[in-house]
Amino acid sequence: MSAALEISNLQAWYGESHVLHGISLSVQPGEVVALLGRNGAGRTTTLRAIMGLTGRRSGSIKINGSEAIGLPTHKIAHLGVGYCPEERGIFASLSTEENLMLPPVLASSKGAAAGMSIAEIYAMFPNLQERRNSQGTRLSGGEQQMLAVARILRTGARLLLLDEISEGLAPVIVQALARMITTLKEKGYTIVMVEQNFRFAAPLADRFYVIEHGQIVETIASADLNARMPVLTELLGV
Amino acid sequence: MEIFGVPLQALMSQLLLGLVNGSFYAMLSLGLAVIFGLLNVINFSHGALYMVGAFLAYIGVTQFGLNYWMMLVLAPLAVGLLGIVIERSMLRWLYKLDHLYGLLLTFGLTLLLEGVFRSFYGVSGQTLDVPDALAGATDLGFMILPNYRGWVVGASLSVCLATWFVIEKTRLGAYLRAGTENPKLVEAFGVNVPMMVMLTYGFGVALAGLAGVLAAPVINVTPLMGSNLIIVVFAVVVIGGMGSILGSIVTGLGLGVIEGLTRVFYPEGSEVVVFVVMVIVLMLRPAGLFGKEK
């Protein structure tokens, strides 16, 4: 079985500036992986590069075995990827339910399975059901974050790229999001998350990649986490 | 019966004329609004494409023996296709640049299109007969309604409302609205945004072509008919609020009526009233009546 995500020697540019300098990583189906690092290290850019949202890219990005480096952005999603951007990207001109229904259901190729039904999603996020007719951006920060994740669960994407989902949210919401990740993991989703909040990622991820200056400088399995804590502390400056 | 010293019949006929003009304003500004929303291009060639629509109707009827109803379908299709060619071959290279570049390109296209038609047809103007089915007039009791004018108002209102419905109430419209806000993210969800942009431009200019066909039997078809109209239409878009769908429909019709009323009560002011309204609106609400402050 091929890896859900296999990146090798990924380089990416924003205009003239060279941002990623050869990222390589591999994520097996069902794994949860966290990309750690300081601000500006290239974690968000890694996710954006996977989606084809940076400028020029080179190297290889295999999603469920298919090469994505040369594909236009709209075709990458159809390899079975759901992307939740750091700024959440809730649309102000759409209601909550329209936001939820916006991403098209992906063609059921090898990467995509049947997505969650609306009923399942509302069962998981009851707030969204209550506020389904509100303007998307009228929701609270936590509700917007849940909406941003919920809408990619409907599409059948099995590989989720989640950028800083715990950022700026109240502890009780962060706990709810952690439970959500656990549930998604149990359901077999593959998750790559970028996290500033190490404590949020620590109990959830199977593996941690530390990114610095657009390169992976450290790979730590969750079993080794305690032993490697001093290295991590130094790298992250926490 | 008289109102403020003006016979009701005269008032009503100017109101109707205002509504007819307002219908053209509404259709053209609607297309401009949709295009500006998604493409960020100020489509100066909109007036010229309206002119092309009218000329195609004229050519189809007088030289190819087609009838008005066929041209009502064929001319907008042809203008839409021309739009798609323009978008694919020229406009799409400009999306990352300032609005000014799109404006300049489409301004150049306007001169080109007008020049081509002028060299074939001169500037004196052609006339197209009202189709037989819509000839004559109906006595409504309080006024005599020329059937064709009633048809123009009804047809353009239906097209505008249908467009509004699709954009505000359907899934396709949700893609358009979301694409207007954040096209990259919509693309990351797997929507073919470049194709959507292309079709949106084609649809927007097809609306202009349709307005041209509707206008052909009631005005003089000349190569400059678009230029005469486009300045007012831009004023309509500014008053309604850049990119607002409902704003352009309501403002287009409203300003047509205001123009008509001005023609009755103060004829000297009818040419400038739209711009006076624009000045007042911009002072009070810089984003336009229906626009959102950024």
Side-chain angles (χ1 to χ4, degrees):
Chain A
M1 191 171 179
S2 57
L5 177 65
E6 178 90 56
I7 299 180
S8 41
N9 193 28
L10 174 64
Q11 318 240 355
W13 288 259
Y14 281 121
E16 291 297 303
S17 71
H18 191 174
V19 189
L20 297 184
H21 300 263
I23 299 267
S24 299
L25 57 85
S26 169
V27 186
Q28 296 306 310
E31 273 191 315
V32 175
V33 159
L35 306 183
L36 306 174
R38 299 177 203 237
N39 276 336
R43 302 163 301 153
T44 292
T45 306
T46 305
L47 296 193
R48 292 178 54 87
I50 294 169
M51 296 312 298
L53 296 172
T54 57
R56 191 157 61 89
R57 305 173 293 164
S58 73
S60 163
I61 301 168
K62 285 207 168 113
I63 297 169
N64 297 308
S66 304
E67 183 56 66
I69 196 88
L71 292 182
T73 296
H74 65 88
K75 290 202 174 146
I76 295 174
H78 289 278
L79 298 176
V81 196
Y83 172 58
C84 174
E86 186 174 10
E87 70 283 1
R88 295 175 193 142
I90 301 302
F91 295 99
S93 51
L94 273 60
S95 70
T96 297
E97 189 152 277
E98 282 178 317
N99 265 288
L100 187 58
M101 300 302 284
L102 184 75
V105 170
L106 304 176
S108 53
S109 60
K110 45 195 160 178
M116 283 194 198
S117 68
I118 283 293
E120 279 177 282
I121 286 175
Y122 280 151
M124 205 164 165
F125 307 99
N127 286 17
L128 298 184
Q129 182 166 25
E130 267 170 45
R131 307 208 52 189
R132 64 182 180 276
N133 294 321
S134 307
Q135 186 188 348
T137 45
R138 290 274 163 94
L139 300 183
S140 72
E143 287 168 334
Q144 288 192 32
Q145 188 61 68
M146 290 178 182
L147 177 55
V149 178
R151 68 181 167 188
I152 54 175
L153 300 178
R154 225 194 82 252
T155 67
R158 299 293 288 168
L159 169 61
L160 309 180
L161 309 179
L162 310 179
D163 198 346
E164 297 274 17
I165 59 168
S166 72
E167 191 183 26
L169 298 176
V172 58
I173 309 281
V174 174
Q175 283 161 20
L177 288 169
R179 280 197 300 277
M180 175 192 81
I181 299 282
T182 311
T183 309
L184 293 176
K185 191 178 174 181
E186 281 162 7
K187 288 176 185 277
Y189 282 86
T190 311
I191 298 176
V192 178
M193 53 185 184
V194 162
E195 268 304 327
Q196 186 71 23
N197 182 350
F198 175 69
R199 282 205 216 136
F200 175 77
L204 298 172
D206 298 310
R207 194 151 14 86
F208 303 85
Y209 290 103
V210 182
I211 298 183
E212 200 157 82
H213 303 306
Q215 282 173 315
I216 289 179
V217 292
E218 205 54 67
T219 306
I220 302 172
S222 66
D224 305 332
L225 195 56
N226 284 334
R228 305 290 295 279
M229 235 8 239
V231 182
L232 201 54
T233 310
E234 187 173 338
L235 281 170
L236 300 179
V238 286
Chain B
M1 194 165 79
E2 292 189 354
I3 295 172
F4 299 125
V6 176
L8 182 66
Q9 178 70 40
L11 184 66
M12 289 318 250
S13 69
Q14 282 304 332
L15 259 183
L16 177 67
L17 200 60
L19 269 180
V20 169
N21 282 335
S23 307
F24 297 136
Y25 297 160
M27 278 181 83
L28 289 170
S29 60
L30 176 63
L32 276 181
V34 173
I35 290 171
F36 179 76
L38 194 63
L39 282 77
N40 253 335
V41 164
I42 301 167
N43 189 34
F44 202 91
S45 56
H46 220 67
L49 291 161
Y50 157 80
M51 176 272 290
V52 172
F55 260 103
L56 287 179
Y58 168 77
I59 294 166
V61 171
T62 58
Q63 290 173 26
F64 291 93
L66 301 170
N67 66 35
Y68 170 87
W69 304 104
M70 293 176 189
M71 291 322 290
L72 197 62
V73 176
L74 292 178
L77 275 180
V79 173
L81 279 177
L82 175 62
I84 285 176
V85 171
I86 293 172
E87 198 278 333
R88 278 293 89 172
S89 61
M90 294 177 248
L91 275 178
R92 68 172 177 144
W93 307 104
L94 302 178
Y95 295 148
K96 286 181 184 152
L97 304 174
D98 190 85
H99 295 321
L100 198 56
Y101 290 87
L103 183 73
L104 285 174
L105 177 83
T106 51
F107 180 62
L109 281 172
T110 302
L111 297 179
L112 192 76
L113 287 170
E114 287 180 354
V116 167
F117 279 90
R118 191 150 50 177
S119 76
F120 282 100
Y121 296 95
V123 286
S124 55
Q126 320 291 331
T127 50
L128 185 66
D129 291 332
V130 169
D132 295 338
L134 295 171
T138 308
D139 191 347
L140 296 181
F142 59 92
M143 69 177 294
I144 308 287
L145 173 71
N147 292 342
Y148 189 79
R149 303 205 159 175
W151 151 253
V152 167
V153 175
S156 26
L157 259 185
S158 317
V159 169
C160 287
L161 289 178
T163 306
W164 172 82
F165 180 83
V166 169
I167 292 177
E168 296 296 334
K169 302 290 171 200
T170 67
R171 195 173 167 74
L172 178 66
Y175 287 153
L176 275 170
R177 277 175 285 146
T180 299
E181 275 186 60
N182 188 345
K184 279 294 166 195
L185 183 57
V186 176
E187 204 174 340
F189 287 149
V191 178
N192 190 341
V193 174
M195 165 103 88
M196 193 166 88
V197 164
M198 176 186 90
L199 294 177
T200 300
Y201 188 77
F203 174 76
V205 301
L207 276 183
L210 179 63
V213 182
L214 286 173
V218 283
I219 61 163
N220 222 1
V221 179
T222 81
L224 297 179
M225 63 188 267
S227 291
N228 299 337
L229 197 63
I230 194 70
I231 303 299
V232 177
V233 171
F234 272 120
V236 170
V237 172
V238 172
I239 294 168
M242 282 301 247
S244 162
I245 305 302
L246 195 60
S248 28
I249 301 175
V250 174
T251 316
L253 284 171
L255 285 175
V257 169
I258 289 175
E259 241 183 11
L261 289 178
T262 314
R263 216 172 288 125
V264 178
F265 293 106
Y266 186 63
E268 298 85 345
S270 64
E271 295 283 315
V272 295
V273 64
V274 169
F275 302 99
V276 174
V277 173
M278 182 173 89
V279 169
I280 296 171
V281 167
L282 284 183
M283 285 198 296
L284 300 176
R285 280 185 65 96
L289 292 176
F290 296 80
K292 290 195 184 85
E293 305 274 352
K294 289 230 163 133

